[in-house]
Every structure is written in structure tokens, then in C-alpha cells.
Amino acid sequence: MSDAEMPDSGAGCGNPGAGRAGAPEKPTRFIDSVNCAIEGILYASRTQRHMRRHFLAALVLLVAVLFLRVSALEFTLLAISVAFVLFAELMNTSIEVVVDLVSPDYHPLAKIAKDVAAGGVLVAAIGAAVMGYLILSQYIFPVYKELLDMIGSPTEMGTVVALLMVVIVVVILKSISGKGTPLEGGLPSGHAAVAFSIATIVSLTTRDPLISILTICLAVMVSHSRLLLRIHSPREVVLGALTGTAITIAVMLLFRLLN
């Protein structure tokens, strides 16, 4: 391949002029440096699923901040937390690319480098989650508690009926879909349906937002285990969660109307 046919490793970023030995020159203008930085962010967004999720979470947070009308100080703290998570993910991507360049084949040290970089992203994400909880809970929890109060506390009879109806509906749906067995596989996920039904019952019984969120987290963990075991697909798990939640709320509202 001739020199004219050689790919330009600096194309699209900075001034790809010919330096010594044909190497691309470093950006000399500010706008070129900014373009390089933006290209790096776009590369991470294109190639890293977690980066896209972080951007989506940041978008949701901005919408929430707009409606909740947080203070300037609270918005500043949230913005710093989000920026730190994005920064950590960019550094993680950069380290992964360099490790792949230096060590294309598997090497224990290369794995450690990638794991440590990923650990940095996890630490940043946990910190951002704690910051978001401490700031947003004071705005969201009162509204969430009012919503739970509107549905009302379940009676003992309502709880038993709701759980039985969830199980029966799951069995009927599994028989209709013709997939899996009663306790494994099929549409929808029975474990997810029962787990979210119980989480809904606990939420309505306590009417405590924090307990409700923790219980829902447990239901999510139960549902996620079905994915990890490759017993259910994401669609089956989501349908199970929606089935359990919807039936439980409907039964509670019906008992409240009848009583």
C-alpha cells in the first residue's frame, strides 16, 4: 500500500497535517481541541451501552428537576454528581481502549486495569445515587405518600385475595402462551408477578416511601435473578411485574369501594 493509500489516524480530529514520519499534528486551534473532545464523547456514546444509560438518566433527572423546582444549590450538587459519573465513564472507556491497544490478547493485568476502571464508575454512580436520594426524596416522597394514601391500606382478606388472583392469572397466561412450566419459564414470570404483588402490598400497608422503595428493590432483585438464570426473557419479567402490580392495586381499590 502506498503512502497515499495509508489511512490517516488523525482524520476527523484536529489538524491531520503531516508531521514527522507522517504522524498527525496535534490540534493547534481551540476549536480543533473542542472537536476532538466531542468526538471522544460521541465515541463513548456509540460504543458503550452504560454511557448511553448515564445520558438517559441525566435527561430524566433534568426533567425531574424542572418540575420539582429544586434550589440552585441542590441543582449544583446534582449537576456535579452527574458530571462526575459521566467523567468516570469516559475515563473507563479511555482506559479500556488503551488496554486493548497495548494488550490485544488476554492478560491478568489487563483485566485488573479494566476492572479497577469499572469500579471507579460504580463508586461514582453510587455517590450520585446517594446525592440524588438525599436531595430529591424531600420533593418526591410526600407526593408518593399521598398516592399510597389514595389507594388505601389493604385488609387481610384483600391481601390473600390479591395474591391468589395473581397466581391464578399467571397460571392462565402461562397455559395460553404454552411456554415453560408452572414454576420455570413461560409468559409471564410468576416470580416477578408474586414479588411485585408482595412489594405493592407492603407499600400500601406501611405507606412509608422508604420501605416501599426498599421492598420494590427486593422485587427487582428477584426478577433480575430470573434473567441471570436465563429462565425468562426481559419481556416475560416486565410483563410479570406489571401483572402482579396491576392486579394487586385493582383488588385493593375494589375492596375499598365495597367497604
Side-chain angles (χ1 to χ4, degrees):
M1 181 181 293
S2 64
D3 292 340
E5 296 173 332
M6 290 291 291
D8 187 357
S9 61
C13 181
N15 286 327
R20 290 191 305 172
E25 294 181 355
K26 293 180 62 176
T28 56
R29 298 183 304 169
F30 174 75
I31 188 63
D32 294 329
S33 299
V34 173
N35 284 333
C36 288
I38 294 176
E39 286 187 8
I41 296 174
L42 293 177
Y43 172 83
S45 300
R46 286 194 304 266
T47 61
Q48 305 298 316
R49 181 178 63 233
H50 293 300
M51 189 67 179
R52 295 192 293 270
R53 291 177 177 175
H54 291 323
F55 274 122
L56 179 60
L59 183 62
V60 172
L61 179 63
L62 287 175
V63 174
V65 166
L66 178 64
F67 284 97
L68 296 177
R69 298 181 180 180
V70 301
S71 66
L73 177 60
E74 292 170 338
F75 177 76
T76 301
L77 294 175
L78 290 173
I80 293 175
S81 299
V82 171
F84 187 59
V85 172
L86 296 177
F87 169 79
E89 186 63 52
L90 288 171
M91 292 299 100
N92 178 46
T93 303
S94 177
I95 291 174
E96 287 184 350
V97 172
V98 172
V99 170
D100 290 338
L101 174 64
V102 175
S103 178
D105 299 325
Y106 175 80
H107 193 283
L109 293 180
K111 179 182 182 301
I112 292 175
K114 290 186 176 183
D115 290 346
V116 172
V121 178
L122 179 61
V123 171
I126 293 175
V130 172
M131 181 70 71
Y133 168 79
L134 293 176
I135 293 176
L136 299 180
S137 61
Q138 59 181 323
Y139 296 96
I140 297 177
F141 278 10
V143 178
Y144 187 39
K145 190 175 187 308
E146 289 182 6
L147 180 61
L148 295 176
D149 291 337
M150 289 175 58
I151 301 175
S153 299
T155 62
E156 183 177 352
M157 182 65 69
T159 299
V160 174
V161 170
L163 287 173
L164 289 177
M165 286 190 65
V166 168
V167 173
I168 292 173
V169 170
V170 167
V171 171
I172 293 175
L173 292 176
K174 282 179 178 288
S175 64
I176 294 176
S177 65
K179 295 175 57 180
T181 63
L183 296 178
E184 184 173 338
L187 181 71
S189 168
H191 286 75
V194 173
F196 273 89
S197 177
I198 294 175
T200 303
I201 292 171
V202 172
S203 299
L204 295 175
T205 301
T206 61
R207 284 183 281 185
D208 185 296
L210 180 57
I211 294 178
S212 174
I213 291 177
L214 293 177
T215 310
I216 292 174
C217 287
L218 287 177
V220 171
M221 293 172 65
V222 171
S223 303
H224 188 246
S225 68
R226 312 305 288 174
L227 297 177
L228 294 178
L229 295 174
R230 301 183 183 277
I231 297 175
H232 286 286
S233 66
R235 183 170 69 97
E236 293 169 347
V237 169
V238 171
L239 182 59
L242 293 177
T243 300
T245 303
I247 292 177
T248 304
I249 293 177
V251 170
M252 298 307 166
L253 290 175
L254 181 60
F255 266 79
R256 183 175 181 180
L257 291 175
L258 295 177
N259 295 328

